[in-house]
Coordinates of all heavy atoms in Angstrom, one line a residue:
M1 N -11.0 -1.2 -12.6 CA -10.6 0.1 -12.0 C -9.1 0.1 -11.6 O -8.6 -1.0 -11.2 CB -11.4 0.2 -10.7 CG -11.0 1.4 -9.9 SD -11.9 1.9 -8.4 CE -12.6 0.5 -7.7
E2 N -8.5 1.2 -11.8 CA -7.0 1.3 -11.5 C -6.8 2.3 -10.5 O -7.4 3.4 -10.5 CB -6.3 1.7 -12.8 CG -4.8 1.8 -12.6 CD -4.1 2.2 -13.9 OE1 -4.4 1.6 -14.9 OE2 -3.2 3.0 -13.8
L3 N -6.0 2.0 -9.5 CA -5.7 2.9 -8.3 C -4.2 3.1 -8.3 O -3.4 2.3 -8.7 CB -6.2 2.2 -7.0 CG -7.6 1.9 -6.9 CD1 -7.9 1.1 -5.6 CD2 -8.5 3.1 -6.9
T4 N -3.9 4.3 -7.9 CA -2.5 4.7 -7.8 C -2.2 5.2 -6.4 O -3.0 6.0 -5.9 CB -2.1 5.9 -8.8 OG1 -2.4 5.4 -10.1 CG2 -0.7 6.2 -8.7
Y5 N -1.2 4.7 -5.8 CA -0.8 5.2 -4.4 C 0.6 5.8 -4.5 O 1.5 5.3 -5.2 CB -0.8 4.0 -3.5 CG -2.1 3.3 -3.3 CD1 -2.5 2.3 -4.1 CD2 -3.0 3.8 -2.3 CE1 -3.8 1.7 -4.0 CE2 -4.2 3.2 -2.2 CZ -4.6 2.2 -3.0 OH -5.8 1.6 -2.9
V6 N 0.8 6.9 -3.8 CA 2.1 7.5 -3.7 C 2.6 7.4 -2.3 O 1.9 7.7 -1.3 CB 2.0 9.0 -4.1 CG1 3.3 9.7 -4.0 CG2 1.4 9.2 -5.5
V7 N 3.9 6.9 -2.2 CA 4.5 6.8 -0.9 C 5.7 7.7 -0.9 O 6.6 7.6 -1.7 CB 5.0 5.3 -0.6 CG1 5.7 5.2 0.7 CG2 3.8 4.4 -0.7
R8 N 5.8 8.6 0.1 CA 6.9 9.6 0.2 C 7.5 9.5 1.5 O 6.9 9.2 2.5 CB 6.3 11.0 0.0 CG 5.8 11.3 -1.3 CD 5.5 12.7 -1.5 NE 4.9 13.0 -2.8 CZ 3.8 13.5 -3.0 NH1 3.0 13.9 -2.0 NH2 3.3 13.7 -4.3
A9 N 8.8 9.7 1.5 CA 9.6 9.7 2.8 C 9.4 11.1 3.4 O 9.3 12.1 2.7 CB 11.1 9.5 2.5
R10 N 9.4 11.1 4.7 CA 9.4 12.4 5.4 C 10.8 12.8 5.7 O 11.7 11.9 6.0 CB 8.7 12.2 6.8 CG 7.2 12.0 6.6 CD 6.6 12.1 8.0 NE 5.1 11.9 7.8 CZ 4.3 12.0 8.8 NH1 4.7 12.1 10.0 NH2 3.0 11.9 8.6
P11 N 11.1 14.0 5.6 CA 12.5 14.5 5.8 C 13.0 14.1 7.2 O 12.1 14.1 8.1 CB 12.4 16.0 5.6 CG 11.2 16.2 4.8 CD 10.3 15.1 5.1
P12 N 14.2 13.8 7.5 CA 15.3 13.9 6.6 C 15.7 12.7 5.7 O 16.6 12.7 5.0 CB 16.5 14.2 7.5 CG 16.1 13.4 8.7 CD 14.6 13.4 8.8
G13 N 15.0 11.6 5.9 CA 15.4 10.4 5.2 C 14.2 9.6 4.7 O 13.1 10.0 4.7
G14 N 14.6 8.3 4.4 CA 13.6 7.4 3.9 C 13.1 6.4 5.0 O 13.2 6.7 6.2
G15 N 12.7 5.3 4.5 CA 12.2 4.3 5.5 C 11.7 3.1 4.8 O 11.7 3.0 3.5
R16 N 11.1 2.2 5.5 CA 10.6 1.0 5.0 C 9.1 0.8 5.5 O 8.8 1.2 6.6 CB 11.4 -0.3 5.4 CG 12.7 -0.3 4.7 CD 13.5 -1.4 5.2 NE 14.9 -1.3 4.7 CZ 15.6 -2.3 4.3 NH1 15.1 -3.5 4.3 NH2 16.8 -2.1 3.9
A17 N 8.3 0.1 4.7 CA 7.0 -0.1 5.2 C 6.5 -1.4 4.5 O 6.9 -1.8 3.4 CB 6.0 1.0 4.8
R18 N 5.6 -2.0 5.2 CA 4.8 -3.2 4.6 C 3.4 -2.7 4.5 O 2.8 -2.4 5.5 CB 5.0 -4.4 5.4 CG 4.1 -5.6 4.9 CD 4.5 -6.9 5.5 NE 5.7 -7.3 4.9 CZ 6.4 -8.3 5.3 NH1 6.1 -9.0 6.3 NH2 7.5 -8.7 4.6
I19 N 2.9 -2.7 3.3 CA 1.5 -2.3 3.0 C 0.7 -3.5 2.6 O 1.0 -4.2 1.7 CB 1.5 -1.2 1.9 CG1 2.4 0.0 2.3 CG2 0.0 -0.7 1.7 CD1 2.6 1.0 1.2
R20 N -0.4 -3.6 3.3 CA -1.3 -4.8 3.0 C -2.6 -4.2 2.4 O -3.4 -3.4 3.0 CB -1.7 -5.5 4.3 CG -2.6 -6.7 4.1 CD -2.8 -7.4 5.4 NE -3.9 -8.3 5.3 CZ -5.1 -8.2 5.9 NH1 -5.3 -7.2 6.6 NH2 -6.0 -9.1 5.7
F21 N -2.9 -4.6 1.2 CA -4.1 -4.3 0.5 C -5.0 -5.5 0.6 O -4.7 -6.6 0.2 CB -3.9 -4.0 -1.0 CG -2.9 -2.8 -1.2 CD1 -1.6 -3.0 -1.4 CD2 -3.4 -1.5 -1.3 CE1 -0.7 -1.9 -1.6 CE2 -2.6 -0.4 -1.5 CZ -1.2 -0.6 -1.7
A22 N -6.2 -5.3 1.2 CA -7.1 -6.4 1.3 C -8.5 -6.0 0.9 O -9.0 -4.9 1.2 CB -7.2 -6.8 2.8
Q23 N -9.1 -6.9 0.1 CA -10.5 -6.7 -0.3 C -11.4 -7.5 0.6 O -11.3 -8.7 0.7 CB -10.7 -7.1 -1.8 CG -10.0 -6.2 -2.7 CD -10.2 -6.7 -4.2 OE1 -10.1 -7.8 -4.5 NE2 -10.4 -5.7 -5.0
V24 N -12.3 -6.8 1.3 CA -13.2 -7.4 2.2 C -14.6 -7.0 1.7 O -14.9 -6.0 1.1 CB -13.0 -7.0 3.6 CG1 -11.7 -7.5 4.1 CG2 -13.1 -5.5 3.8
R25 N -15.6 -7.8 2.1 CA -17.0 -7.6 1.8 C -17.5 -6.8 3.0 O -17.5 -7.3 4.1 CB -17.7 -8.9 1.6 CG -17.3 -9.6 0.3 CD -18.1 -10.9 0.2 NE -17.7 -11.5 -1.1 CZ -16.7 -12.4 -1.2 NH1 -16.0 -12.7 -0.2 NH2 -16.5 -12.9 -2.4
P26 N -18.0 -5.5 2.8 CA -18.4 -4.7 3.9 C -19.5 -5.4 4.8 O -19.4 -5.2 6.0 CB -19.0 -3.5 3.2 CG -18.3 -3.4 1.9 CD -18.0 -4.8 1.5
P27 N -20.4 -6.2 4.3 CA -21.4 -6.8 5.2 C -20.7 -7.8 6.1 O -21.3 -8.2 7.1 CB -22.4 -7.4 4.3 CG -22.2 -6.9 2.9 CD -20.8 -6.4 2.9
Y28 N -19.5 -8.3 5.8 CA -18.9 -9.3 6.6 C -17.4 -8.9 7.0 O -16.5 -9.6 6.6 CB -18.9 -10.7 5.8 CG -20.2 -11.0 5.2 CD1 -20.5 -10.8 3.9 CD2 -21.2 -11.5 6.0 CE1 -21.7 -11.1 3.3 CE2 -22.5 -11.8 5.5 CZ -22.7 -11.6 4.1 OH -23.9 -11.9 3.6
P29 N -17.3 -7.9 7.7 CA -15.9 -7.4 8.0 C -15.0 -8.4 8.8 O -13.8 -8.3 8.8 CB -16.1 -6.1 8.8 CG -17.5 -6.3 9.4 CD -18.3 -7.1 8.4
D30 N -15.7 -9.3 9.5 CA -14.9 -10.2 10.4 C -14.4 -11.5 9.6 O -13.6 -12.2 10.1 CB -15.7 -10.7 11.6 CG -16.1 -9.5 12.5 OD1 -15.2 -8.6 12.6 OD2 -17.1 -9.5 13.1
E31 N -14.9 -11.6 8.4 CA -14.5 -12.8 7.6 C -13.1 -12.4 6.9 O -12.7 -11.3 6.8 CB -15.5 -13.1 6.5 CG -16.7 -13.7 7.0 CD -17.7 -14.2 5.9 OE1 -17.3 -14.2 4.8 OE2 -18.8 -14.5 6.3
A32 N -12.4 -13.5 6.5 CA -11.1 -13.3 5.9 C -11.3 -12.5 4.5 O -12.3 -12.7 3.9 CB -10.5 -14.7 5.6
P33 N -10.3 -11.7 4.2 CA -10.4 -11.0 2.9 C -10.5 -12.0 1.7 O -9.9 -13.1 1.8 CB -9.1 -10.3 2.8 CG -8.5 -10.3 4.1 CD -9.1 -11.4 4.9
Y34 N -11.2 -11.7 0.7 CA -11.3 -12.6 -0.5 C -10.2 -12.4 -1.4 O -10.0 -13.2 -2.3 CB -12.7 -12.5 -1.1 CG -13.1 -11.2 -1.7 CD1 -12.8 -10.9 -3.1 CD2 -13.8 -10.3 -1.0 CE1 -13.2 -9.7 -3.6 CE2 -14.2 -9.1 -1.6 CZ -13.9 -8.8 -2.9 OH -14.3 -7.6 -3.4
D35 N -9.4 -11.3 -1.3 CA -8.2 -11.1 -2.1 C -7.3 -10.2 -1.3 O -7.8 -9.2 -0.6 CB -8.5 -10.5 -3.4 CG -7.4 -10.5 -4.4 OD1 -6.4 -11.3 -4.2 OD2 -7.4 -9.8 -5.4
E36 N -6.0 -10.4 -1.3 CA -5.1 -9.5 -0.7 C -3.7 -9.5 -1.3 O -3.4 -10.5 -2.0 CB -5.0 -9.7 0.8 CG -4.2 -10.9 1.3 CD -4.1 -11.0 2.8 OE1 -3.6 -10.1 3.5 OE2 -4.6 -12.0 3.3
F37 N -3.0 -8.4 -1.2 CA -1.7 -8.3 -1.8 C -0.9 -7.5 -0.7 O -1.3 -6.5 -0.2 CB -1.8 -7.5 -3.1 CG -0.5 -7.2 -3.7 CD1 0.1 -8.2 -4.4 CD2 0.1 -5.9 -3.7 CE1 1.3 -7.9 -5.1 CE2 1.3 -5.7 -4.3 CZ 1.9 -6.7 -5.0
V38 N 0.3 -8.1 -0.5 CA 1.2 -7.4 0.5 C 2.4 -6.9 -0.3 O 3.0 -7.5 -1.1 CB 1.7 -8.4 1.6 CG1 2.7 -7.7 2.5 CG2 0.6 -8.9 2.4
L39 N 2.7 -5.6 -0.1 CA 3.8 -4.9 -0.8 C 4.8 -4.4 0.2 O 4.5 -3.6 1.1 CB 3.2 -3.7 -1.6 CG 4.1 -2.9 -2.4 CD1 4.7 -3.7 -3.5 CD2 3.3 -1.7 -3.0
D40 N 6.1 -4.8 0.0 CA 7.2 -4.2 0.8 C 7.7 -3.1 0.1 O 8.1 -3.2 -1.1 CB 8.2 -5.3 1.1 CG 7.8 -6.4 2.1 OD1 7.2 -6.0 3.1 OD2 8.0 -7.5 1.8
V41 N 7.8 -1.9 0.8 CA 8.3 -0.7 0.1 C 9.5 -0.1 0.8 O 9.5 -0.1 2.1 CB 7.1 0.4 0.2 CG1 7.6 1.7 -0.4 CG2 5.9 -0.1 -0.5
E42 N 10.5 0.3 0.1 CA 11.6 1.1 0.6 C 11.6 2.4 -0.1 O 11.6 2.5 -1.3 CB 12.9 0.3 0.3 CG 14.1 1.1 0.9 CD 15.4 0.3 0.8 OE1 15.4 -0.8 0.3 OE2 16.5 0.9 1.1
V43 N 11.6 3.5 0.7 CA 11.5 4.8 0.2 C 12.9 5.5 0.5 O 13.3 5.5 1.7 CB 10.4 5.7 0.9 CG1 10.4 7.1 0.3 CG2 9.1 5.0 0.6
R44 N 13.5 6.0 -0.5 CA 14.8 6.6 -0.3 C 14.7 8.1 -0.6 O 14.0 8.5 -1.6 CB 15.8 6.0 -1.3 CG 16.1 4.6 -1.0 CD 17.1 4.0 -2.0 NE 17.2 2.6 -1.8 CZ 17.8 1.8 -2.7 NH1 18.3 2.3 -3.8 NH2 17.8 0.5 -2.5
P45 N 15.4 8.9 0.1 CA 15.4 10.4 -0.2 C 16.0 10.6 -1.5 O 17.0 10.0 -1.9 CB 16.2 11.0 1.0 CG 16.9 9.9 1.6 CD 16.2 8.6 1.3
G46 N 15.4 11.6 -2.3 CA 16.0 11.9 -3.6 C 15.7 13.3 -3.9 O 15.2 14.1 -3.1
T47 N 16.0 13.6 -5.1 CA 15.8 15.0 -5.6 C 14.7 15.1 -6.6 O 14.6 16.1 -7.2 CB 17.1 15.6 -6.2 OG1 17.5 14.7 -7.3 CG2 18.2 15.6 -5.2
G48 N 14.0 14.0 -6.8 CA 12.9 14.0 -7.8 C 11.7 14.8 -7.5 O 11.6 15.3 -6.4
G49 N 10.8 14.9 -8.4 CA 9.6 15.7 -8.2 C 8.5 14.8 -7.6 O 8.8 13.8 -6.9
A50 N 7.2 15.1 -7.8 CA 6.1 14.4 -7.2 C 6.0 13.0 -7.7 O 5.5 12.1 -7.0 CB 4.8 15.2 -7.5
D51 N 6.6 12.6 -8.8 CA 6.4 11.3 -9.3 C 7.6 10.4 -8.8 O 7.6 9.2 -9.0 CB 6.4 11.2 -10.8 CG 7.7 11.7 -11.5 OD1 8.7 12.1 -10.7 OD2 7.9 11.6 -12.7
G52 N 8.5 11.0 -8.0 CA 9.5 10.2 -7.4 C 10.7 9.9 -8.3 O 11.7 9.3 -7.9
A53 N 10.7 10.4 -9.5 CA 11.8 10.1 -10.4 C 13.0 11.1 -10.0 O 12.8 12.2 -9.6 CB 11.3 10.5 -11.9
G54 N 14.1 10.5 -10.3 CA 15.3 11.4 -10.1 C 16.1 10.9 -9.0 O 17.0 11.3 -8.4

């Protein structure tokens, strides 16, 4: 399965975020995730369209 996430800056500028994707087993929410990925994102204001290009 492939997932796509879009991160957009709110006017008037950009910002930074740390996004943590964690896979957990629903029956055991208090246990540690069995897989996780941390993504540092910097969003800059631009003139591009919905895909962020430009």
Side-chain angles (χ1 to χ4, degrees):
M1 172 172 32
E2 183 176 314
L3 300 173
T4 302
Y5 298 90
V6 177
V7 179
R8 293 189 182 123
R10 291 187 177 182
R16 293 177 188 220
R18 174 167 283 171
I19 303 171
R20 178 178 170 251
F21 298 93
Q23 292 181 317
V24 296
R25 293 179 175 90
Y28 311 104
D30 296 329
E31 289 187 10
Y34 62 90
D35 192 18
E36 77 179 295
F37 178 75
V38 176
L39 180 65
D40 289 315
V41 177
E42 181 176 354
V43 180
R44 297 180 187 166
T47 59
D51 65 356

